[in-house]
Amino acid sequence: MRNHLKDLRCAKGWSQAALAEKLDVTRQTVIALERGRYDPSLPLAFRISRVFGLPIERIFDPEDG
């Protein structure tokens, strides 16, 4: 799954550590999410959505093929 997490985080001026703290996850989790190596659980996806004030669909895009 592709996502716009890094762009959104940078637009807010947040470090990976700051975002991790807001989401109550580790910095390594944020790194893995940004690199597309980890798909978030549904509860984490909703936390991400709330933190950025955007619908989940604006943050995550399913990869086709």
Side-chain angles (χ1 to χ4, degrees):
M1 181 178 328
R2 291 176 298 180
N3 67 69
H4 306 285
L5 218 57
K6 184 175 182 179
D7 295 332
L8 293 168
R9 176 181 60 77
C10 290
K12 295 273 190 186
W14 296 339
S15 66
Q16 290 172 330
L19 179 56
E21 187 174 321
K22 292 174 188 307
L23 296 174
D24 195 28
V25 298
T26 65
R27 185 174 151 270
Q28 289 77 16
T29 299
V30 171
I31 291 167
L33 285 165
E34 287 185 352
R35 292 182 178 169
R37 294 184 181 161
Y38 173 69
D39 291 336
S41 65
L42 194 53
L44 178 54
F46 276 104
R47 287 199 312 268
I48 292 168
S49 174
R50 280 192 298 271
V51 163
F52 288 106
L54 295 170
I56 291 173
E57 297 84 6
R58 296 268 320 267
I59 301 169
F60 299 97
D61 296 320
E63 283 186 304
D64 297 324

